Amino acid sequence: MAPPPPPPPPPPPMCFPFSSNKSRHREASPLIRTDSEKSEIASHNSDNRSHRSHRSDGRSSNRSHQSGRLVRSGSYSTTRTLSDPEKLEFDSDSEAYDVPPLPNNNSKLSQVSPIDTKPSLVRADSKKSTKWGYGWGVGKVRDRERDLLERSPSVSSQRSPPQYNSPTRTSSRSSGSKRPAFFSNDSSSTLVGSALERKLEMGSIKERVDTSDRLDQIRKLMMKDGLDYYVIPTEDPHQSEYVAISDKRREWISGFTGSAGQAIVSKTAAYLVTDSRYWLQAREELDPNWYLIPAGAVDAPKDWADWIVDRARDAKIGIDARMISHEKATQMISKLNTIKGSKLVFPPQNFVDLCWKEKPLRSKDPIFVQPSDFTGREASSKLAEVRQWIRAQPPAVPTYSKSPPTASQMHVGTLITSLSNIAYLLNLRGSDIPFNPLFYAYLFISLDKVVLFIDAAKLTDDTEDYLRSLRVERREYNDVWPFLRRREWGEGKLLLSPETSYAISLMLTHFRYTIVPSHVDDMKAVKNEVELDGLRRAYLRDGAAYVKWLAWLEHKICQGYDISEWEAAWRLTEFRRQN
């Protein structure tokens, strides 16, 4: 009878990434050492500290002359942030990584010079290592060191990552972190122009704004008009989500810098209503004069309109009619009509504008023509389509009327207030709003003429010639109000989108306009082949920049640098700006 087969070998020890609870020694090599070896290294470092400092200073001086380190300029331009593109070299998966040989029990650590050994991390996902998985596993220290020594090349390898001698900083990560023990290095060696220096130049965390005096001024104006509440929205007269510096009225009165939210001032208190994206930010930025209303929370109002309608009892609520859309205003009015004694009031002047003494001026930057190579369609063709849409609209005849439509019931034009729609139709771009290629203007289109309401200072000779070629008449930006009051288009109604400011609806009265969905939004949604090709090329360029950033990040982490999220985000922006 054959003997039974031998039992299978015991399984290898389980390795879990980042599961060690041992404290990380920030200045030690990422390879783990025993306590006796650590003590020997500490004594050795103390004996040779002066020698290493002298040698390190010498190498740092030579390297600063040879590498030509880039320095960030004083300008914070959105288009240029680098004096020269940074030249980076990256190690591929097939290339060896230099790992210093660890001392064994038969050798003395005092014989190893700390200058000649360059501690560095071994890539955990490298093809040369398949045992430890992602990160450093947990096992016997001796076995791990012996395995690393067998797999690692000699320290005399010709290719080794550059060494950086920059001031150390204290890591914000706790000693119980389960992430790999990286070196604690300053960001000046990881980002072009030093993200740390850039961060210091930008100043410390902004202090909370004391809004007591500002609120007192608003309440005095409220008292004159007999208002119980005054609402300051985020939007501008064009209902833009992102606004220019001169239109940040809600930020000025509250100190809250988020891109969404409404400030509501009462006789005795002040409230900020915003959604869950900004609750933490609002708590950090609001001073004690303000109460945060978390819109969308459990048992909380959906938005500022629900909150104020729920509280309004015999109340007069004031708001600038330019800063609220026709759709929102009509909803508010219908809700307040169900509450006895409450109504929405539209003061002729904005209270914040009256109190904001240092309010910035509106941008006068020139606009420019976007070539058809990028738009794929001429502006004249777009204007012709809008006119065709106007002709196709049925007359505004009451359903009970049996008589034919009159001239006053016919639709003869449209007033476009959306900044993105105006830029799209005319193939024009501007820079009035940061990070948005838009400009402040109104556009009137009728069956026989086009009027652009824009500041004359924004137009160059080339832009004026371009508008004349389209037969577009130009008027000043604020001339839109007398134009509407005098009804210079003659008889007939205008077509307005629901996002048009309610001030325009009040100026026209309901006999002179019809609310319909914006046709220009539908036009923008359908991309032509040139626009689709531009999207593809933009994604390719951005993808290339992102891959470069990933390679840079991997390269720095493999060198032992501890990269913060702030530093990584700045460096990604640098790569994208190079494109």
Side-chain angles (χ1 to χ4, degrees), residues 22 27 92 127 130 147 166 238 248 309 314 361 399 443 473 475 493 511:
K22 297 180 181 180
E27 296 184 0
S92 64
K127 297 178 181 178
T130 58
D147 182 77
S166 55
H238 302 267
K248 293 186 176 182
V309 167
D314 296 325
L361 298 177
T399 56
L443 183 63
E473 179 184 352
R475 298 194 185 183
K493 289 191 171 185
F511 297 105

Side-chain angles (χ1 to χ4, degrees), residues 53 143 146 240 318 325 378 422 446 457 481 505 518 527 544 554:
S53 175
D143 295 340
R146 189 180 304 109
S240 304
S325 66
E378 297 292 341
I422 296 173
S446 69
W481 304 108
S505 303
S518 173
K527 306 298 182 184
E554 182 183 40

Side-chain angles (χ1 to χ4, degrees), residues 500-562:
T500 303
S501 81
Y502 195 61
I504 293 177
S505 303
L506 294 176
M507 182 69 68
L508 292 174
T509 72
H510 67 281
F511 297 105
R512 291 282 183 170
Y513 67 86
T514 301
I515 299 297
V516 293
S518 173
H519 179 66
V520 184
D521 288 339
D522 297 337
M523 295 172 60
K524 291 193 303 182
V526 181
K527 306 298 182 184
N528 56 51
E529 289 301 324
V530 174
E531 291 173 320
L532 291 175
D533 183 64
L535 287 173
R536 297 187 189 101
R537 288 187 283 112
Y539 276 112
L540 288 175
R541 291 196 303 270
D542 186 73
Y546 190 77
V547 170
K548 290 180 181 178
W549 174 78
L550 288 175
W552 169 86
L553 183 63
E554 182 183 40
H555 184 67
K556 293 301 179 182
I557 289 178
C558 288
Q559 289 181 308
Y561 287 102
D562 192 354

Side-chain angles (χ1 to χ4, degrees), residues 473-484:
E473 179 184 352
R474 190 208 64 82
R475 298 194 185 183
E476 287 297 325
Y477 177 78
N478 290 324
D479 287 348
V480 66
W481 304 108
F483 176 84
L484 297 175

Side-chain angles (χ1 to χ4, degrees), residues 26-27 165-171 183-187 196:
R26 304 300 297 179
E27 296 184 0
N165 293 323
S166 55
T168 59
R169 57 179 171 84
T170 304
S171 175
F183 296 118
S184 179
N185 287 286
D186 184 74
S187 61
L196 180 61

Side-chain angles (χ1 to χ4, degrees), residues 366-386:
I367 62 176
F368 60 92
V369 180
Q370 184 79 336
S372 58
D373 295 341
F374 298 102
T375 62
R377 188 177 180 184
E378 297 292 341
S380 57
S381 174
K382 298 177 183 178
L383 295 175
E385 182 176 344
V386 173

Side-chain angles (χ1 to χ4, degrees), residues 24-33 98-100 114 117-122 136 161-173 179-187 189-190 555-564 567:
R24 308 289 187 181
H25 195 278
R26 304 300 297 179
E27 296 184 0
S29 169
L31 304 179
I32 301 176
R33 297 182 173 89
D98 294 334
V99 179
T117 58
K118 304 173 183 178
S120 60
L121 289 174
V122 175
W136 300 99
Q163 297 295 305
Y164 296 91
N165 293 323
S166 55
T168 59
R169 57 179 171 84
T170 304
S171 175
S172 59
R173 298 194 179 119
R179 303 190 67 175
F182 295 149
F183 296 118
S184 179
N185 287 286
D186 184 74
S187 61
S189 300
T190 61
H555 184 67
K556 293 301 179 182
I557 289 178
C558 288
Q559 289 181 308
Y561 287 102
D562 192 354
I563 309 298
S564 68
E567 293 170 326

